[in-house]
Amino acid sequence: MNSILITGGAGFIGSHLTRLFVTKYPQYKIVNLDALTYAGNLENLTDVEKAPNYHFVKGNITNLSLLRSLFEEHQFTGVIHCAAESHVDRSITDPLAFITTNVMGTAALLQVAKENWKDNMEGKVFYHISTDEVYGSLGQTGFFYEDTAYSPRSPYSASKASSDHIVRAFYHTYNMPIKISNCSNNYGPYHFPEKLIPLCINNIINNKSLPIYGKGENVRDWLFVEDHARAIDVIFHNGKIGETYNIGGHNEWTNIALVKELCKQMDEKLGREKGASEKLITYVTDRAGHDLRYAIDATKLKNELGWLPSLQFEAGISKTIDWYLQNTKWLEDVTSGNYQNYYEAQYNS
Ligand code: NAD
Ligand code: DAU
């Protein structure tokens, strides 16, 4: 029986991945280890929390003794490592938190997996979820390929790049059965409203200003989060050991065009006058070291494993806006911090 440790399963991408694995693979045991930082939210998983093959553990990936006892108890055959500090702006104000979780936490997981698997690596997988930001910033043209040289420019992306290197070092040095994927910007339900898309949806609902860094000319390549979860499933099961796969939507938008699309769709859905939400757009001071453009070439994933994105962006954004409009309680709890109080009561920490 497969026994899989998913780290960060209460976060944005981790919760979609956990839901997919718990429902699609009832024969697997899925253990979700999450520290429930501000970004982790068990309300993201209420629909699967009672499933017999699902088990939640509140804990930190830097805690070696916890990791050792979890490996002992559950005899993991696979690890899918999503836990991270993930917000670039927070990494600018608090870089050490990113180095602790993203670098030290990844190294701790690798170390304990190695201790447990070293005598028999057969059938084991340590799958590290990474980002396209490790490749740095593109100009107006070109794409990130799997062999593009790393050039991270923020404390977040540098910490992710560092963790990728450590994962590969464990492959080359100890034959650890690793896989890595580097994905572009995700969007969809349960996205924490500190990131551009959910922040703007929330602010449009509340008639608050929409902060655009610099001139809004920076470009991101957006992928619906469920398509990312599907790609992880495919790579976990069919990807080659030791390989890296890029995941992306071939879906580039400047920030300003994207926010205008959000405004247009939300005016229609909220029954507001055409152009009403665009008036909320406010240009603010640029992000320090702001990467100009990301764009993924995901040909390897398509050709080798047959994965393609399923949703067109306008449809995905429409679905995402609808989810936020139907889940105002989730949005209010997350933004008011109520859910943190719930966790303290629930877990007494
Ligand atoms: P998120 O911030 O929404 O969730 C992170 C989760 O990790 C939270 O549940 C949090 O509680 C948990 N966590 C944080 N520190 C922890 C620790 N020390 N121990 C245990 N749990 C901890 O992040 P996300 O956007 O879902 O990103 C998930 C992964 O995917 C990250 O590794 C990120 O680098 C990567 N990624 C994200 C995107 C994106 O667009 N969001 C794109 C590509 C790659
Ligand atoms: O590319 C993958 C990465 O995408 C992931 O690794 C990160 O975890 C994820 O947070 C995301 O990083 P970005 O920095 O691209 O996402 P964010 O939503 O923070 O910003 C998207 C773009 O919008 C970026 O160019 C900065 C800009 N922005 C962001 C915010 C929060 C604004 O203009 N105003 C804002 O208020």
Side-chain angles (χ1 to χ4, degrees):
M1 175 181 165
N2 271 318
S3 173
I4 297 171
L5 173 64
I6 295 181
T7 69
F12 168 47
I13 295 167
S15 62
H16 287 276
L17 180 71
T18 300
R19 177 175 300 100
L20 179 67
F21 269 61
V22 167
T23 53
K24 185 172 174 186
Y25 303 109
Q27 72 277 25
Y28 292 2
K29 175 161 71 170
I30 306 296
V31 177
N32 170 14
L33 171 64
D34 196 298
L36 299 180
T37 68
Y38 78 94
N41 186 351
L42 291 183
E43 284 180 29
N44 298 356
L45 288 167
T46 47
D47 53 335
V48 294
E49 67 188 4
K50 294 199 169 66
N53 63 333
Y54 173 69
H55 185 63
F56 174 72
V57 178
K58 180 175 187 279
N60 202 300
I61 55 165
T62 58
N63 184 339
L64 279 166
S65 57
L66 171 67
L67 295 179
R68 286 186 178 119
S69 72
L70 287 176
F71 267 81
E72 170 75 27
E73 181 184 350
H74 298 286
Q75 297 292 311
F76 297 121
T77 52
V79 174
I80 308 182
H81 176 33
C82 291
E85 289 292 342
S86 70
H87 191 35
V88 173
D89 292 331
R90 287 183 189 252
S91 84
I92 294 168
T93 47
D94 187 9
L96 294 189
F98 285 68
I99 289 155
T100 303
T101 285
N102 299 357
V103 184
M104 296 302 293
T106 302
L109 270 172
L110 282 163
Q111 175 65 20
V112 175
K114 175 169 82 72
E115 288 167 9
N116 281 269
W117 295 349
K118 65 180 183 326
D119 295 329
N120 182 11
M121 301 279 190
E122 193 59 37
K124 312 292 196 307
V125 177
F126 187 105
Y127 182 178
H128 178 59
I129 306 303
S130 193
T131 170
D132 61 358
E133 300 202 11
V134 298
Y135 298 122
S137 181
L138 290 166
Q140 300 296 342
T141 58
F143 293 95
F144 295 137
Y145 302 92
E146 282 81 1
D147 59 359
T148 297
Y150 276 28
S151 181
R153 292 155 33 101
S154 74
Y156 164 67
S157 54
S159 69
K160 292 296 292 186
S162 172
S163 63
D164 291 10
H165 289 317
I166 296 166
V167 173
R168 288 196 187 95
F170 270 64
Y171 169 67
H172 291 293
T173 310
Y174 309 113
N175 291 319
M176 274 289 286
I178 66 99
K179 301 178 184 185
I180 299 179
S181 57
N182 297 81
C183 189
S184 64
N185 287 60
N186 286 214
Y187 70 96
Y190 303 110
H191 204 183
F192 197 85
E194 63 186 354
K195 310 276 170 69
L196 181 68
I197 289 180
L199 182 139
C200 287
I201 292 173
N202 188 33
N203 286 10
I204 291 170
I205 293 172
N206 294 297
N207 267 306
K208 285 167 67 180
S209 69
L210 308 176
I212 304 289
Y213 297 158
K215 295 181 180 160
E217 288 169 347
N218 304 69
V219 174
R220 297 294 182 265
D221 172 3
W222 294 95
L223 179 70
F224 192 63
V225 63
E226 290 176 12
D227 280 334
H228 187 189
R230 272 196 311 109
I232 293 172
D233 179 15
V234 167
I235 294 166
F236 180 77
H237 287 98
N238 303 327
K240 289 194 199 120
I241 296 293
E243 294 276 319
T244 294
Y245 297 87
N246 279 354
I247 310 172
H250 266 295
N251 176 44
E252 295 181 47
W253 287 72
T254 62
N255 294 336
I256 188 62
L258 165 58
V259 172
K260 285 184 177 172
E261 174 68 25
L262 278 177
C263 291
K264 185 178 99 187
Q265 290 205 20
M266 288 196 68
D267 282 347
E268 285 164 14
K269 289 177 193 289
L270 293 167
R272 289 184 186 167
E273 193 184 319
K274 206 172 165 192
S277 298
E278 270 198 29
K279 292 190 187 128
L280 299 169
I281 290 174
T282 311
Y283 292 91
V284 299
T285 308
D286 208 354
R287 172 184 280 173
H290 197 171
D291 290 337
L292 176 67
R293 174 171 166 260
Y294 305 144
I296 279 282
D297 184 299
T299 306
K300 175 177 174 180
L301 184 55
K302 180 176 134 219
N303 289 351
E304 291 189 13
L305 302 180
W307 175 91
L308 278 174
S310 70
L311 268 189
Q312 290 299 313
F313 187 62
E314 286 82 352
I317 275 293
S318 172
K319 197 170 164 178
T320 303
I321 295 168
D322 289 344
W323 185 86
Y324 280 94
L325 292 176
Q326 286 153 15
N327 289 275
T328 46
K329 168 89 170 56
W330 182 92
L331 204 46
E332 278 160 22
D333 286 352
V334 165
T335 45
S336 69
N338 279 353
Y339 77 98
Q340 292 283 13
N341 300 336
Y342 163 76
Y343 294 145
E344 273 164 28
Q346 179 80 355
Y347 296 104
N348 196 24
S349 61

